[in-house]
């Protein structure tokens, strides 16, 4: 249904209209097949922005650009694990200040469609579910499992009352709230679970707000995803059959507004696969068809942003997602207006503000290997256990854990160290007495040869590469989740060191006395995981500096980088497709040197080439490497049909 303009002569502020037209209401008109806002038929064109993927500093800028693209509304997810890092510990401050984000949207005149979870998918670690849920190992996530539901109820009891003030009828921007996400794609198909969520949402938000679900546009997906009392919407990609997609929605909702809650402007990437690009013309054409029907649409994503820190998710068979969540969206990761932005919406009076920065190389140097600074990274020392424990069992959810045992025998000849049950989640950097031996990788490399003497320290630094966010493998335990064997013998008597690297980067690594570089092992391929530091000075007094920039890693292999303690995310140029990481200007200063810390896990250029990282003014997220070309044979992007 096409919105009709308010009748001339009846200003919403006049006394007459306030008698006749209900003020600030939002609902569904099943007779006219549309939404109805303040008594008038209403259709929205919305765009997705995830506040958790954009620094707070840039929220206003991005929202203004969305407003100027002509959008009526924005859509955002609430990642539960971002706000409840430990059970019962809540964080709504700084970059997590959701209420401030909602207030900005309201001030700018954008309505909000809130996707409150508890599960969100979103290419976000574990689909937004907190990893501490896995402390009950047998938990059935996204079901009526009593422990799961109790945790959900408690969390929603914190989140939803905060959201209530921001509902449209209470003067805020939120017109609709989504319950769960694509539940029809999940194996559990537990209607009682959806009923419990419906009850919890109604309890906290009242009866008036429109609650809805989103599922793939087929009766198959809607079967377990839709529930009486939750308005069923669908999602589908450009280029498909719009009639068929909306017919699927009609199988659940015979009348009411047509809604595509995720109309894909691009697509997600995986490490080792070619960067996905979706041409603007394809999107513009299908968008036109959707709008011609009077349907409502949300462009997913309008701006993708960045998986800062450790927040990326993964898909199965295990493939983790890169740091950039650019998504080939109309606004780039850095908020620049792209050709797609202009193609999707005529923009009036918009001034493009490109990210520019002088192109500079910065020298950095090694300060120590992970093993050398172990006491600083793991001040409370190791947990001892006969067999390996998972991350959750040692109460660490993200980053890295070091597993140490002694070699039980002389391995003078190359001896097989293996993970017969594919239990390295997700990558392990193996050394013997500080000499690097190789890398084990989930689903890819289950065996390496090692050498060393009986009694030597066998150190296995395990990296959590992001938890599976989609499908039945959500219970994604990290660390050594099954035994390792040396020859055929199970290795025992582990010392397991939880590592607080992010804390250490802030507090000690700068100014830590450097160690001379150590070589050994297999110099062509692997070096011990080590920290490198350097500083980046930005001249003061130049009005336009600092600005956004991108950092590039010439001849580096794989690791993590922090600037002034802010964790920018993972880099992995050796696998691609992403070669540069976005550096938002708000983390840079010009008054004192900016501190850079790099944790390189495999091989740095420092011993043979220049020990430098580079700042550039253009992102490269579409590189092809030998590994991406090979991986392309295995992976064809297909919305909504990842293998379970
Ligand atoms: C689109 O789907 C509709 C309904 O299933 C069908 O009638 C129509 O032929 C399809 N159009 C194309 C181009 O495949
Ligand atoms: C390992 O080899 C050394 C000599 O290289 C020998 O002294 C030692 O007994 C051996 N240890 C074991 C456990 O076999
Ligand atoms: C490990 O060593 C054995 C014996 O030297 C050799 O046959 C095998 O190819 C090696 N495996 C790997 C993965 O290097
Ligand atoms: C390791 O093997 C032991 C003995 O077979 C078994 O009891 C234990 O559960 C295994 N541990 C893991 C993490 O698989
Ligand atoms: C960088 O580290 C030094 C030494 O710890 C500190 O004095 C300085 O303030 C840090 N710079 C920034 C921008 O935080
Ligand atoms: C990557 O994108 C840039 C800018 O759109 C383009 O010029 C370049 O050809 C692309 N490279 C590859 C390998 O696709």
């Amino acid at each position: 249904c096409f919105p009709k303009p308010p009748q001339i002569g009846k200003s919403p502020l006049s006394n007459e209209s306030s008698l006749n037209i209900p003020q600030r209401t939002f609902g569904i008109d099943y007779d006219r097949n549309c939404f109805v806002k303040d008594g008038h038929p209403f259709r929205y064109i919305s765009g997705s922005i995830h506040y958790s993927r954009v620094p707070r500093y840039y929220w206003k800028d991005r929202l203004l650009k969305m407003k100027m693209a002509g959008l009526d509304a924005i859509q955002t997810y609430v990642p539960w694990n971002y706000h409840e890092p430990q059970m019962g510990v809540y964080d709504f401050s700084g970059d997590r200040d959701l209420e401030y984000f909602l207030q900005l949207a309201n001030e700018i005149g954008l309505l909000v469609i809130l996707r409150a979870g508890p599960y969100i998918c979103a290419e976000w670690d574990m689909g937004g579910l907190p990893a501490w849920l896995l402390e009950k190992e047998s938990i059935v996530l996204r079901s009526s499992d009593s422990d799961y539901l109790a945790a959900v109820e408690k969390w929603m009891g914190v989140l939803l009352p905060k959201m209530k003030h921001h509902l449209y009828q209470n003067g805020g921007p939120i017109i609709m709230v989504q319950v769960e996400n694509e539940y029809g794609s999940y194996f559990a198909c537990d209607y009682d679970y959806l009923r419990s969520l419906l009850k919890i949402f109604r309890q906290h938000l009242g009866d008036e707000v429109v609650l809805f679900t989103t599922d793939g546009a087929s009766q198959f997906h809607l079967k377990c995803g839709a529930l009486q009392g939750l308005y069923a919407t669908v999602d589908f990609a450009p280029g498909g059959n719009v009639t068929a997609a909306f017919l699927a929605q009609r199988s659940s909702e015979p009348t009411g507004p047509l809604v595509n809650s995720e109309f894909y402007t691009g697509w997600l990437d995986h490490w080792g696969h070619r960067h996905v690009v979706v041409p603007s013309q394809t999107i513009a054409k299908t968008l036109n068809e959707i709008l011609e029907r009077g349907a409502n649409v949300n462009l997913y994503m309008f701006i993708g942003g960045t998986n800062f820190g450790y927040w990326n998710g993964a898909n199965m068979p295990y493939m983790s997602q890169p740091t950039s969540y650019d998504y080939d969206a109309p606004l780039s990761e850095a908020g620049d207006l792209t050709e797609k932005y202009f193609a999707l919406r005529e923009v009036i009076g918009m001034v493009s503000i490109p990210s520019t920065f002088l192109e500079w190389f910065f020298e950095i140097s090694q300060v120590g290997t992970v093993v050398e600074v172990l006491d600083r990274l793991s001040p409370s020392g190791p947990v001892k256990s006969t067999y390996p424990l998972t991350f959750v069992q040692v109460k660490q959810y993200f980053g890295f854990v070091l597993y140490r045992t002694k070699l039980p025998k002389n391995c003078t000849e190359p001896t097989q160290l293996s993970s017969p049950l594919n239990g390295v989640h997700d990558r392990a950097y193996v050394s013997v007495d500080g000499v690097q031996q190789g890398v084990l990788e989930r689903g890819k490399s289950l065996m390496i040869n090692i050498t060393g003497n009986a009694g030597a320290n066998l150190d296995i630094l395990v990296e959590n590469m992001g938890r599976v966010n989609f499908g039945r493998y959500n219970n994604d335990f990290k660390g050594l989740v099954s035994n390792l064997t040396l020859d055929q013998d199970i290795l025992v008597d582990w010392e397991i060191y939880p590592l607080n690297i992010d804390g250490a980067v802030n507090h000690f690594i700068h100014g830590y006395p450097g160690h001379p570089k150590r070589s050994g092992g297999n110099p062509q391929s692997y070096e011990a995981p080590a920290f490198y530091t350097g500083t980046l000075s930005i001249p003061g007094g130049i009005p336009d500096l600092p600005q956004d920039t991108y950092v590039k890693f010439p001849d580096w292999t794989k690791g993590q980088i922090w600037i002034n303690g802010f964790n920018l995310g993972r880099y992995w140029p050796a696998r691609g497709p992403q070669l540069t990481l976005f550096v938002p200007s708000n983390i840079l200063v010009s008054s004192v040197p900016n501190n850079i810390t790099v944790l390189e896990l495999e091989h740095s250029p420092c011993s043979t080439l220049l020990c430098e990282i580079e700042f550039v003014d253009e992102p490269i997220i579409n590189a092809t490497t030998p590994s991406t070309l090979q991986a392309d044979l295995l992976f064809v992007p297909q919305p909504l049909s990842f293998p379970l």
Side-chain angles (χ1 to χ4, degrees):
C1 88
F2 288 97
K4 295 189 196 93
Q7 283 178 306
I8 292 167
K10 284 193 176 181
S11 143
L13 293 177
S14 75
N15 284 338
E16 193 196 353
S17 74
S18 66
L19 291 175
N20 302 330
I21 302 169
Q23 295 296 299
R24 291 199 78 89
T25 59
F26 189 88
I28 291 175
D29 186 332
Y30 287 95
D31 296 330
R32 287 185 290 178
N33 295 326
C34 59
F35 290 111
V36 54
K37 178 170 161 281
D38 303 336
H40 300 290
F42 176 76
R43 181 262 294 280
Y44 67 75
I45 303 170
S46 158
S48 281
I49 169 172
H50 299 155
Y51 61 94
S52 55
R53 287 182 159 127
V54 176
R56 172 195 177 110
Y57 179 85
Y58 278 128
W59 286 349
K60 192 170 183 181
D61 170 80
R62 307 305 190 250
L63 291 172
L64 279 169
K65 288 171 179 165
M66 293 176 80
K67 176 73 180 171
M68 291 170 98
L71 299 179
D72 308 294
I74 57 160
Q75 187 182 269
T76 191
Y77 277 128
V78 182
W80 178 6
N81 55 6
Y82 196 58
H83 293 290
E84 193 177 352
Q86 312 274 337
M87 189 192 283
V89 178
Y90 302 99
D91 189 350
F92 287 94
S93 63
D95 285 344
R96 291 168 170 76
D97 192 347
L98 170 56
E99 290 194 79
Y100 177 65
F101 180 77
L102 295 172
Q103 187 192 321
L104 278 178
N106 208 22
E107 282 166 13
I108 289 168
L110 287 164
L111 298 166
V112 173
I113 299 160
L114 191 75
R115 314 180 84 181
Y119 168 81
I120 60 170
C121 192
E123 287 75 68
W124 188 261
D125 186 76
M126 215 169 138
L129 299 176
W132 48 256
L133 288 170
L134 299 178
E135 280 169 19
K136 176 190 172 191
E137 269 188 43
S138 60
I139 198 163
V140 184
L141 301 170
R142 306 175 68 193
S143 78
S144 303
D145 181 297
S146 56
D147 295 281
Y148 173 72
L149 262 189
V152 168
E153 212 167 340
K154 200 160 155 250
W155 159 239
M156 288 300 167
V158 173
L159 174 68
L160 297 180
K162 287 183 194 288
M163 297 299 100
K164 187 160 188 187
H165 315 290
H166 300 279
L167 294 180
Y168 185 73
Q169 62 267 27
N170 298 334
I174 301 175
I175 51 172
M176 301 168 49
V177 178
Q178 185 183 320
V179 176
E180 249 280 348
N181 187 49
E182 293 181 350
Y183 192 62
S185 302
Y186 192 58
F187 72 93
C189 197
D190 180 346
Y191 296 113
D192 285 338
Y193 165 54
L194 288 185
R195 275 186 209 106
S196 305
L197 291 181
L198 171 57
K199 197 166 143 233
I200 295 167
F201 277 58
R202 284 282 172 229
Q203 249 166 26
H204 292 295
L205 298 177
D207 290 333
E208 211 177 315
V209 65
V210 174
L211 298 180
F212 73 105
T213 58
T214 300
D215 278 285
S218 77
Q219 292 193 33
F220 169 80
H221 290 105
L222 286 157
K223 180 167 171 283
C224 297
L227 186 82
Q228 182 107 49
L230 297 171
Y231 190 73
T233 75
V234 293
D235 50 23
F236 57 88
N241 185 328
V242 174
T243 308
F246 282 133
L247 274 177
Q249 191 197 350
R250 281 280 173 252
S251 70
S252 285
E253 300 291 353
T255 63
L258 296 174
V259 183
N260 181 350
S261 290
E262 287 189 6
F263 175 62
Y264 305 106
T265 60
W267 195 242
L268 54 132
D269 281 341
H270 294 102
W271 286 116
H273 297 270
R274 200 188 284 270
H275 172 60
V276 182
V277 171
V278 179
S280 303
Q281 303 88 295
T282 317
I283 301 164
K285 181 167 173 289
T286 309
L287 181 60
N288 214 38
E289 288 175 43
I290 292 172
L291 296 181
E292 272 177 358
R293 249 163 254 257
N296 300 268
V297 66
N298 172 68
L299 304 172
Y300 187 101
M301 301 296 300
F302 202 84
I303 170 166
T306 310
N307 296 313
F308 290 114
Y310 305 114
W311 288 115
N312 67 274
N315 279 300
M316 290 296 282
Y318 192 78
M319 301 180 282
S320 90
Q321 295 132 9
T323 303
S324 173
Y325 195 64
D326 179 272
Y327 214 84
D328 197 28
L331 287 172
S332 79
E333 179 180 7
D336 292 336
L337 311 180
T338 67
E339 159 273 323
K340 191 173 277 183
Y341 179 97
F342 293 101
L344 294 186
R345 198 72 186 180
E346 280 228 34
V347 183
I348 302 152
M350 186 63 213
V351 186
S352 166
I353 310 161
S355 324
T356 52
F357 196 78
L358 303 177
E359 240 182 80
W360 277 336
F361 288 89
F362 286 87
E363 201 176 301
I364 58 183
S365 57
Q366 200 192 104
V367 289
T369 67
V370 168
V371 167
E372 281 166 349
V373 298
L374 189 55
D375 55 333
R376 311 294 190 92
L377 302 176
S378 187
S380 55
V383 178
K384 296 195 174 159
S385 169
T386 308
Y387 302 114
L389 301 174
T390 63
F391 273 43
V392 163
Q393 284 169 325
V394 298
K395 295 241 187 270
Q396 181 179 326
Y397 306 128
F398 293 98
F400 302 82
V401 169
L402 183 82
Y403 293 76
R404 169 174 285 177
T405 185
K406 305 267 184 220
L407 277 188
K409 61 178 181 186
N410 283 329
C411 301
T412 321
E413 296 301 317
T415 309
Q416 288 194 357
L417 172 73
S418 52
S419 173
L421 299 178
N422 194 12
V424 173
H425 287 191
D426 303 294
R427 294 191 109 228
Y429 308 91
V430 181
S431 64
V432 174
D433 271 352
V435 177
Q436 213 53 23
Q437 308 288 322
V439 174
L440 294 167
E441 183 175 340
R442 179 176 180 178
K444 288 217 160 69
S445 163
L446 308 189
M447 195 273 287
I448 57 170
N449 284 328
I450 63 170
T451 55
N453 293 329
N457 277 334
L458 172 62
D459 283 324
I460 302 187
L461 180 69
V462 180
E463 176 184 8
N464 167 358
M465 283 284 296
R467 292 186 187 78
V468 172
N469 58 273
F470 182 82
R472 67 163 61 230
Y473 298 100
N474 249 190
N475 295 44
D476 190 4
F477 293 92
K478 295 302 184 186
L480 297 181
V481 306
S482 63
N483 288 305
L484 293 187
T485 57
L486 187 64
D487 274 343
Q488 307 304 321
D489 305 325
I490 289 179
L491 286 165
V492 293
D493 296 335
W494 292 91
E495 290 187 340
I496 302 160
Y497 292 83
L499 303 182
N500 180 8
I501 292 179
D502 291 75
V505 163
N506 284 325
H507 294 117
F508 86 90
I509 286 179
H510 284 276
Y512 189 79
H515 284 255
K517 248 198 75 63
R518 181 184 291 209
S519 58
N522 187 344
Q524 294 84 9
S525 46
Y526 296 112
E527 289 166 2
F531 291 99
Y532 298 77
T533 63
T535 56
L536 156 64
S537 294
I538 299 171
I542 302 176
D544 287 345
L545 291 181
Q547 288 202 11
D548 291 346
T549 179
Y550 300 90
V551 60
K552 198 176 170 194
F553 301 84
D555 299 304
W556 295 74
T557 311
K558 182 182 195 310
Q560 201 87 23
I561 179 170
W562 294 257
I563 296 186
N564 295 332
F566 184 88
N567 189 333
L568 285 168
R570 304 174 212 273
Y571 66 86
W572 201 355
R575 193 157 286 183
Q578 180 175 4
L579 298 192
T580 58
L581 300 192
F582 174 51
V583 182
S585 71
N586 61 294
I587 66 164
L588 300 172
V589 295
S590 56
S591 49
V592 291
N594 297 276
N595 294 319
I596 303 172
T597 310
V598 175
L599 169 59
E600 168 60 50
L601 298 162
E602 292 186 22
H603 190 266
S604 80
C606 297
S607 54
T608 46
L609 301 159
L610 295 168
C611 196
E612 289 177 342
I613 57 172
E614 187 182 354
F615 289 87
V616 295
D617 63 359
E618 292 281 341
I620 306 172
I621 57 172
N622 64 344
T624 51
T625 65
S627 82
T628 52
L629 290 174
Q630 214 176 8
D632 273 343
L633 303 174
L634 305 172
F635 179 70
V636 181
Q638 252 178 346
L640 299 169
S641 59
F642 281 108
L644 289 180

